[in-house]
Structure formats: C-alpha cells, structure tokens
Amino acid sequence: MENNRNYTYDSVIQLDSNPSTTRKFMANVFLWMFGALAVSAGLAALFAFNVDMRAYIVNQETHSLTGLGLLAAFSPLAFVLLISFGFNRISYPVLAVLFIAYAAVTGISLSGLLLAFTPGSVLGVFITASVIFGVMAVAGYVTHQDLTKFGSLLIMALIGVIVATVVNMFLRSEGLDYIISYLGVAIFVGLTAYDVQKLKRIGEGLEYGDANAPKLALMGALSLYLDFVNLFIYLLRIFGRRR
C-alpha cells in the first residue's frame, strides 16, 4: 500500500489566509477521504463475508486469486500513479471517478485481511488507528512547528521501508517483518501530521473560488487516505490476531 506520494500541489503560494477558506478546503479534503474509506470498508466486508462475492476474487477449489482478484491486488498502485501524474491534465470529474475506483479496488484487495484476522482484532485495530490518526491530524493542524524537514525525512524512511519489504519477500524473516511494521506505524503517524499541516497551508494559499481547489482537495484526500490505510495495515500486522 505504500504508494507514490509525490503530488503536484507543492507550488501553491499564499494568496489568502482567510480562516473560513482554509476550513472549507480542509472539510472538503476530509469529506473525500471519509467517503473513500467508506467505499473501501463496505467492499472489503462485502467480498470477505459474502461467499458468492468472494468467489469472484478467490477460486474456492484452489484458493488462488482469480483474474479480478489479481486486478484488485495489483491495480491500486496504477490508479495512484495515474491520478498523481494526470493531476494537471485530467478534469476534476474524471479524477473523482478514478479516486472512487481506486478506493473500490483497494477495498476489494483488503478483504483478505478480514479473512486472515479475527473480526474483533480488526475492529480493535481500526478504532486504534482512527484515534491515532485523529490525534495526529489535530496536532498537524494546530502546531506552529514547521514539519517540512521532518516530512522529508519520513518520506526517505518510507522509501527504506519499501525496499526492506521487497527484500523480506525473499528472506521471509519474521523478525524483520516486525521491525518493518513498527517502523511503518511510526512513519505514517508522522506523515499524518505532516500531510495535514501541508494541506492546511495549501488551504491558506487558495483564493475563494479557485478553480484548482476541488482537485487539490481530492489529492489531499488521497494523501490522507494512504496515511490511514497504511497505518491501519501496519498496526494490524503487529496487534491483529490471526484466525
């Protein structure tokens, strides 16, 4: 799930620091984020607990992924890259459709987690992730400390975690897997505060009615969506109880 995070809204300059403009922008960001999470959670539950739907992604005889299952497993990264690199060329309605489609395929791919871990532990980890995310989001919004350098270090650390994850696919080291999971939690806890502060500054730099505001809000929602989902997955790998 550690997808491309290099979005194209770094060059926004401050034009208007009207608090109402900032609040409206941030509300739009979180509305999109929560909507995407709802889509993902709904489809994850549907494909995990409905036997007929599950058959579309997992062959019940061989327990291997079907074509749709493989598509759901490997297409999220393609969606993120398409949305990120197509930001300046794709219209807002198309970006919105791509974002919802991304949330849908991500939800389908996450359905396996609901089957691998007990429902109680999944719910407990989800609540924990929500509380941690909320606390760090508030911290990032209200802090006056500049988190720019801190965020750059976290992104470099994330790249290291991705490389270590790929290496561990061959090593299959349980100890390294736990280290990666703990580092992943720390990284996405920090990135949540960093991204919220970054989005707040973007909101402060928007003029009321700016044509790019809806697209920037959608990209911000994608960033926070990735923070939350990855935080949830790493916490589940540490504290989740397998069936």
Side-chain angles (χ1 to χ4, degrees):
M1 286 299 299
E2 303 94 337
N3 296 318
N4 190 299
R5 300 176 52 83
N6 296 320
Y7 305 136
T8 53
Y9 49 40
D10 291 327
S11 60
V12 177
I13 59 174
Q14 185 162 331
L15 300 173
D16 178 19
S17 58
N18 187 342
S20 64
T21 302
T22 305
R23 287 194 296 268
K24 183 177 294 185
F25 174 76
M26 294 301 295
N28 200 15
V29 168
F30 281 103
L31 182 63
W32 271 112
M33 177 203 163
F34 292 144
L37 286 175
V39 170
S40 296
L43 286 175
L46 177 64
F47 278 83
F49 302 127
N50 186 302
V51 177
D52 294 331
M53 295 300 294
R54 193 190 312 162
Y56 285 109
I57 60 173
V58 178
N59 187 304
Q60 301 302 305
E61 296 180 357
T62 64
H63 299 289
S64 60
L65 292 176
T66 64
L68 178 60
L70 290 171
L71 179 65
F74 294 104
S75 62
L77 177 59
F79 273 103
V80 171
L81 292 175
L82 178 60
I83 294 171
S84 300
F85 290 108
F87 174 80
N88 291 317
R89 295 182 294 275
I90 301 177
S91 66
Y92 173 68
V94 174
L95 279 177
V97 171
L98 288 174
F99 184 39
I100 295 302
Y102 164 70
V105 296
T106 299
I108 295 173
S109 69
L110 292 177
S111 62
L113 294 177
L114 301 183
L115 295 173
F117 296 91
T118 62
S121 67
V122 171
L123 179 60
V125 170
F126 181 83
I127 293 173
T128 301
S130 299
V131 172
I132 294 174
F133 181 90
V135 170
M136 297 310 298
V138 171
Y141 190 85
V142 302
T143 185
H144 297 293
Q145 178 70 37
D146 186 2
L147 302 179
T148 302
K149 293 182 179 179
F150 181 60
S152 300
L153 292 173
L154 287 171
I155 291 174
M156 288 189 291
L158 176 59
I159 294 172
V161 165
I162 294 172
V163 173
T165 301
V166 173
V167 171
N168 201 41
M169 291 174 63
F170 301 97
L171 297 179
R172 299 183 181 277
S173 169
E174 185 174 340
L176 180 57
D177 185 64
Y178 271 105
I179 293 173
I180 291 172
S181 297
Y182 278 105
L183 286 174
V185 170
I187 289 169
F188 283 102
V189 164
L191 282 174
T192 298
Y194 166 72
D195 283 334
V196 169
Q197 183 184 80
K198 184 177 182 180
L199 289 166
K200 178 186 177 184
R201 290 179 175 178
I202 290 172
E204 291 172 345
L206 291 173
E207 288 185 302
Y208 182 77
D210 192 309
N212 284 325
K215 293 172 72 173
L216 290 169
L218 192 149
M219 295 302 294
L222 174 60
S223 178
L224 295 182
Y225 174 93
L226 286 170
D227 290 339
F228 180 86
V229 170
N230 281 288
L231 176 62
F232 168 71
I233 290 174
Y234 280 119
L235 285 171
L236 191 61
R237 288 170 61 176
I238 298 171
F239 301 109
R241 296 192 301 274
R242 294 187 177 273
R243 292 177 183 269

